[in-house]
Amino acid sequence: MSEARVCLLGNPNVGKTALFNALTGQRGRVGNYPGVTVECVGAPLRLGDDRTAELIDVPGCYSLCARSAEEQVALNAALGLGGFPKPDLVVQVLDAGQLLRNLYLTVQLAELGIPLVLALNLMDEAGDAAPDVAALTRQLGVPCVGTSARHGQGIEQLREAIAGALDERPLARVGVRYPEALRRDADRVADALPEAWQQGSVERRRALALWALMSLEDEDELTGMSPELRERVRDVRRDAGRDQDLEIVSARYSWLTELLARAGQGEVSGAAHPLTERVDRVLLHPVAGFAIFLVLMTLVFQALFTWSDPAISAVERGVQAVQQLVQGLLPETVMRALLVEGVLGGVGNVLVFLPQILLLFAIVGLMEDSGYMARVAYLMDRVMRALGLHGRAFVPMFSGFACAIPAVLATRTMERRRDRILTMLVVPLMSCSARLPIYTLVIAALFPPRLIGGVLPLQGLLMVAMYLFSTVIALVATAVLGRTIVKGKSVPLILELPPYRMPSWLAVARMMRDRSWEFVREAGTVILAFTVVLWGLLSFPKPPASVVETSAAPAALVAAPEALPAATVGPTTGAGHGAETAPPPDAASSPELEAEAERSPIAQSYGGRLGHALEPLLRPLGFDWKIGVGLIGAFAAREVFISTLGLVYGIGDADENTGTLREKLRAERGPDGRPLYRPLTGLSLMVFFAVACQCMSTVAVVYRESKSWRWPLLMVVYMNGLAWALCFALYQLGTKLGF
Amino acid sequence: MPTLADVAPGTRATIASVGGERAFRRRLLELGLLPGTSVEVLRVAPLGDPLELLVRGCHLSIRRREAAALELTSAAGESAG
């Protein structure tokens, strides 16, 4: 016999994940059930000395009724449709303090004839409203267990109840009295149910018919519904002309109210959580609440931008140490270079994101688990609504200022796929920390450090302007994409503000571990592959032996999306690359410079030739082939642009503070004899870096999160297209105006 | 008839009818916002939208625009608190 399957279902915010963790234990091996849109996590559940079952954690839902594909997951998981294995038992987790609303889902599960166990969780919070568990068990006829997952209470009783229920398959006794006319409607719909849905009792068929009657409509996003069923539902709804939705829900609520009365439960009224209400008076206060929110977000930003830095440096040093070790152990061959610069460099490119991912998910986990995330959505909904998104999109968008990789991963906190995709597509436009060194180099090289009007420093002002510019572009892109390519029916907001709770550290730790592992496993492989390809492009063909001396291979492909400029671009020297000796800066009249650059090994490589080939496309933006090569290198990570450009100019170890590189840029002359890098070129270059999608890791992570190449490709096309168009307009207009 | 969007924060009232786009309305019904249910507007978000409601011991937030589709029997007086 195959292993029994148990589904864990329940409303959001009832501690379902905490219960899942408590039941499966910390050492549970977590595997994914990749659904179409939502992933369900499964782990082995120990049931006794020699029995295990598989426990599947299904995303929270208030009802089985669905319009979107996301909402359909609960029904599919409960019935074993749409690629889900059929469960032997459903364990519904309920908020013991909110029984009436939670039992609404129980009614739906019971009517479908699914064997049930009820876990009345949050018993500790319910206080006086705590239900009489034995009375409820008697009334419903299925095992009910009071639990408090956070405190580990009731877990063993629940485990026993599950083990027993897998043998007995208990069915709940529900007897909702639907109006006669509605029953007739349901029977008409039942006749048109697909073959696979016809099995089981009359009650089950009627329940499925009611589900179809409430869920199917012309614009739903449900999959696997037959045209016959859709047509029948349309006919029945039209013929009836009554408010069937209200009839169904009212009948269920009336029955549930009676049930709870029989089980000795009164109606809940008023605020159930006085402490939460008192805290919200401050945290949601028009002035104080907003101020606290801004302070908290500043802290989050600071954490991602700065606090992660020592960890990032440590990762980089670790990777360098391994690279040097391998370098010393192996003879000098192409294979060694591939291993050290391509493969190990690629591993470094993946690992370097972990500090920020772990940090962001620690913060997101704490915010979600404590209940504050819902308040952030509440506070920011007005702003995000203007962009066609919900308040929940705020944290991912904001995190994009630090790094797009964790920010894209954070889009998971949004329920709708359309909202997630839209947010993913625009997050990379936020000016991430990897752009900072580019801005620093260009501003320092091409703009004089003078004061505007005697007060405002030009260089600082430009930096602020770049951040504002990227934010505006991101917001405009959100509004435009959301109304065109990622169009979705605007869905009204229904946001539950759960009571504040002490976060479960185990749940937060588990989330950090799972998200990081998924990133390493899935996005990581793509990043690794890109790094190897890029290394090949910039290393081959090998220049003739005479120039090998100055060969500075693109060791800088390992670079970090990090914050502090000083630490950022120090390219991982990877060891042993010759050209640490920079040529004297005064050797720089333009034709010589050009010839020298042409001779550099990197210019001879495939990547260099590609840079040359791109020149006609880049010329109208004010760039030459050398910048083209730099842009190719920048695909590994934006800040690599600087070290690649350095290699083109024969400077081995360039960063944005390298004076020689600045000198060389200033000395460059265009075909017309004017300086090639004028302030206008600098502006154009900065705009290009602000808007273009150049980061392979972002492409990889969007692929991983959207489960399709369609969205990352669209992202590359629209961002680079937009960058080109903006730079073209800027440079051409600027030139006409004589700048 | 007054709607939920009209009442001042701190007002407790009874729902007369629930309107609005179908899937949204269905979700509200399923959350227990049925005709005859008592509802209180607790507060309005700092930027003027959305509203925070207290229904059956549960805190829910919906936008003003959708709140306008929930009609009330009577916008009864201020609640104590």
Side-chain angles (χ1 to χ4, degrees), chain A residues 304-327:
Chain A
L304 288 177
F305 211 82
T306 322
W307 300 352
S308 61
D309 210 51
I312 292 174
S313 307
V315 169
E316 285 179 312
R317 277 197 304 275
V319 172
Q320 277 173 40
V322 175
Q323 282 178 316
Q324 270 160 9
L325 187 73
V326 174
Q327 189 108 14

Side-chain angles (χ1 to χ4, degrees), chain A residues 155-501:
Chain A
I155 304 301
E156 291 317 307
Q157 290 92 311
L158 180 60
R159 199 187 300 281
E160 282 165 32
I162 293 171
L166 278 172
D167 297 328
E168 290 159 24
R169 307 288 166 107
L171 301 175
R173 284 192 300 270
V174 290
V176 179
R177 288 178 302 280
Y178 296 107
E180 182 59 33
L182 185 66
R183 287 213 299 273
R184 276 200 303 274
D185 293 344
D187 290 342
R188 269 185 73 195
V189 172
D191 289 338
L193 289 175
E195 194 79 21
W197 292 22
Q198 294 281 358
Q199 302 141 355
S201 63
V202 181
E203 287 74 22
R204 180 186 156 99
R205 291 182 55 213
R206 182 173 287 160
L208 283 168
L210 288 177
W211 180 87
L213 209 48
M214 269 188 96
S215 299
L216 294 187
E217 58 185 18
D218 292 342
E219 302 116 52
D220 67 47
E221 299 160 16
L222 305 174
T223 53
M225 300 295 133
S226 71
E228 295 78 32
L229 179 60
R230 285 186 176 281
E231 194 172 339
R232 182 63 62 89
V233 167
R234 206 177 301 133
D235 290 349
V236 169
R237 283 183 59 81
R238 192 193 51 226
D239 294 349
R242 306 188 319 275
D243 189 347
Q244 291 159 318
D245 292 352
L246 182 61
E247 286 178 2
I248 296 171
V249 180
S250 299
R252 287 175 178 163
Y253 265 92
S254 316
W255 183 79
L256 281 173
T257 312
E258 289 167 28
L259 171 90
L260 286 179
R262 287 201 302 276
Q265 278 285 110
E267 275 258 5
V268 182
S269 62
H273 301 275
L275 182 65
T276 289
E277 183 46 34
R278 278 207 299 278
V279 174
D280 269 346
R281 261 175 226 161
V282 179
L283 289 187
L284 301 183
H285 186 271
V287 182
F290 222 67
I292 293 171
F293 164 74
L294 290 178
V295 168
L296 281 174
M297 287 305 119
T298 312
L299 277 178
V300 171
F301 189 61
Q302 193 66 13
L304 288 177
F305 211 82
T306 322
W307 300 352
S308 61
D309 210 51
I312 292 174
S313 307
V315 169
E316 285 179 312
R317 277 197 304 275
V319 172
Q320 277 173 40
V322 175
Q323 282 178 316
Q324 270 160 9
L325 187 73
V326 174
Q327 189 108 14
L329 287 177
L330 298 177
E332 192 186 337
T333 56
V334 173
M335 283 315 289
R336 183 183 79 173
L338 169 68
L339 185 65
V340 171
E341 286 154 19
V343 177
L344 288 177
V347 170
N349 276 344
V350 176
L351 295 184
V352 84
F353 289 111
L354 283 184
Q356 284 180 322
I357 290 176
L358 287 167
L359 247 173
L360 182 62
F361 276 102
I363 295 165
V364 166
L366 289 175
M367 282 169 62
E368 285 277 4
D369 234 42
S370 63
Y372 191 66
M373 190 65 107
R375 271 76 185 178
V376 171
Y378 171 79
L379 290 171
M380 291 310 289
D381 184 69
R382 183 67 194 83
V383 176
M384 302 316 284
R385 188 185 82 191
L387 304 172
L389 284 168
H390 277 185
R392 286 206 168 244
F394 179 76
V395 168
M397 289 273 260
F398 181 74
S399 313
F401 276 122
C403 175
I405 308 303
V408 166
L409 291 175
T411 57
R412 293 270 189 97
T413 54
M414 286 182 276
E415 287 150 37
R416 285 177 79 209
R417 179 174 163 83
R418 178 260 175 189
D419 293 352
R420 282 201 302 275
I421 299 278
L422 178 57
T423 311
M424 270 179 229
L425 289 179
V426 296
V427 152
L429 284 171
M430 308 303 272
S431 211
C432 70
S433 57
R435 275 128 161 154
L436 195 53
I438 313 285
Y439 299 158
T440 309
L441 170 76
V442 173
I443 290 176
L446 304 177
F447 295 91
R450 65 182 163 86
L451 296 177
I452 292 179
V455 233
L456 295 169
L458 171 70
Q459 293 186 331
L461 219 55
L462 268 170
M463 192 65 98
V464 174
M466 286 316 296
Y467 273 87
L468 278 180
F469 170 75
S470 85
T471 311
V472 170
I473 290 284
L475 298 186
V476 171
T478 314
V480 172
L481 285 175
R483 282 167 180 74
T484 52
I485 297 168
V486 210
K487 207 160 162 176
K489 216 173 146 105
S490 85
V491 174
L493 173 86
I494 303 183
L495 182 71
E496 188 183 348
L497 299 174
Y500 289 109
R501 295 180 178 129

